Amino acid sequence: MDKKFLLDRAARSGEERIFLAHVLDRYEQCRNRSIPVHTGFLSPAEQQSARDLLHAAAIHDGYVFLGGYERAERRMLCFLPQWQESVDAEEHMTLLHCTFCEEGALTHRDFLGSLMGLQITRGKLGDILVTPGSAELIVSNDIAEYLLQNLTAAGRVKLSVTRAALSELNVPELKVKTVRDTVAALRLDAVTAAGFSMSRAKAQELIASGRVQLNYRATLNSDAPVA
């Protein structure tokens, strides 16, 4: 594997190059030591970057993305040695169940801010699912006990935090809106304009400013094809 060639081909920025080099390091550690290895929790954009890298390296198996539940947004990339066929998510992550008395008082931002205040890096945190009166936090196993002892409040609201099995996860109902329209061509500006009820010129302006993502990655070309 020519690491420099792969990174030159896959990375679109210096920051992304560092991230992808870390992914390759984790893959090589798994293969060289024949042990399971995982990254921290990755954003959807990071997951897509990692997939593109692994595809470019002709690595098509021996890894899995795990987030604790089927619809998870943030996921770990787990590399499996040849002797291991599957992996249990609870080997790498823990579900923390938080309850509080003031319904509707807390948001995702409140929990994330409190966790950052405890010096927890984003890579240690999976999805944060907030419902009235409670929240579910999926976290890396190595910080679970620390959070059980130290996560006592979010914002100014006191919390009761307990450990739970991932099978007990309470996933909020996904709210979606179906938009039906006819476009002249399946290109990004036309689909963006139709999907968000704006002019094509406005869609092109947003795309050119890097504010539109296609498959979780900013795309600056208005004529990029959309399937």
Side-chain angles (χ1 to χ4, degrees):
M1 179 190 300
D2 186 337
K3 183 183 291 188
K4 183 178 184 303
F5 172 79
L6 285 172
L7 294 175
D8 288 343
R9 179 179 177 184
R12 304 198 298 183
S13 68
E15 183 179 1
E16 188 175 34
R17 186 184 184 91
I18 293 172
F19 163 68
L20 294 178
H22 172 69
V23 170
L24 287 178
D25 288 343
R26 304 301 276 171
Y27 171 77
E28 291 175 348
Q29 182 182 2
C30 173
R31 287 295 174 265
N32 294 338
R33 298 177 59 186
S34 193
I35 58 173
V37 175
H38 63 85
T39 67
F41 287 98
L42 308 179
S43 69
E46 289 171 331
Q47 293 169 46
Q48 188 61 47
S49 295
R51 288 190 186 94
D52 292 345
L53 173 71
L54 295 173
H55 179 76
I59 301 170
H60 303 299
D61 53 27
Y63 66 90
V64 63
F65 288 91
L66 294 175
Y69 66 107
E70 183 178 355
R71 222 173 63 217
E73 179 175 285
R74 295 182 61 81
R75 298 173 182 263
M76 290 179 173
L77 171 54
C78 301
F79 291 108
L80 308 182
Q82 294 182 347
W83 53 264
Q84 185 174 0
E85 295 182 355
S86 62
V87 60
D88 183 351
E90 290 189 323
E91 296 176 16
H92 305 295
M93 61 194 70
T94 298
L95 172 63
L96 298 181
H97 180 66
C98 308
T99 56
F100 49 93
C101 294
E102 301 178 40
E103 292 191 9
L106 295 176
T107 65
H108 181 283
R109 178 176 293 183
D110 293 320
F111 280 95
L112 186 58
S114 294
L115 291 162
M116 296 293 105
L118 292 174
Q119 306 303 310
I120 303 298
T121 60
R122 197 65 180 96
K124 297 291 185 180
L125 304 173
D127 284 6
I128 300 171
L129 306 174
V130 183
T131 55
S134 68
E136 313 277 25
L137 312 180
I138 300 176
V139 304
S140 179
N141 281 348
D142 59 342
I143 65 165
E145 191 61 36
Y146 174 77
L147 292 180
L148 283 168
Q149 299 297 324
N150 293 280
L151 183 61
T152 57
R156 297 181 179 180
V157 179
K158 292 185 178 181
L159 301 175
S160 174
V161 183
T162 57
R163 190 191 302 262
L166 286 172
S167 59
E168 300 175 45
L169 182 65
N170 178 27
V171 182
E173 180 182 357
L174 181 65
K175 297 180 180 181
V176 299
K177 176 183 179 182
T178 301
V179 177
R180 300 184 184 278
D181 208 332
T182 301
V183 295
L186 283 174
R187 42 182 281 164
L188 187 57
D189 56 355
V191 174
T192 300
F196 295 95
S197 302
M198 63 178 64
S199 69
R200 196 154 167 178
K202 178 62 176 178
Q204 291 172 347
E205 178 184 331
L206 291 173
I207 293 168
S209 65
R211 295 177 63 190
V212 177
Q213 294 182 349
L214 180 62
N215 294 332
Y216 301 110
R217 303 184 75 165
T219 303
L220 302 179
N221 298 323
S222 293
D223 61 353
V226 179

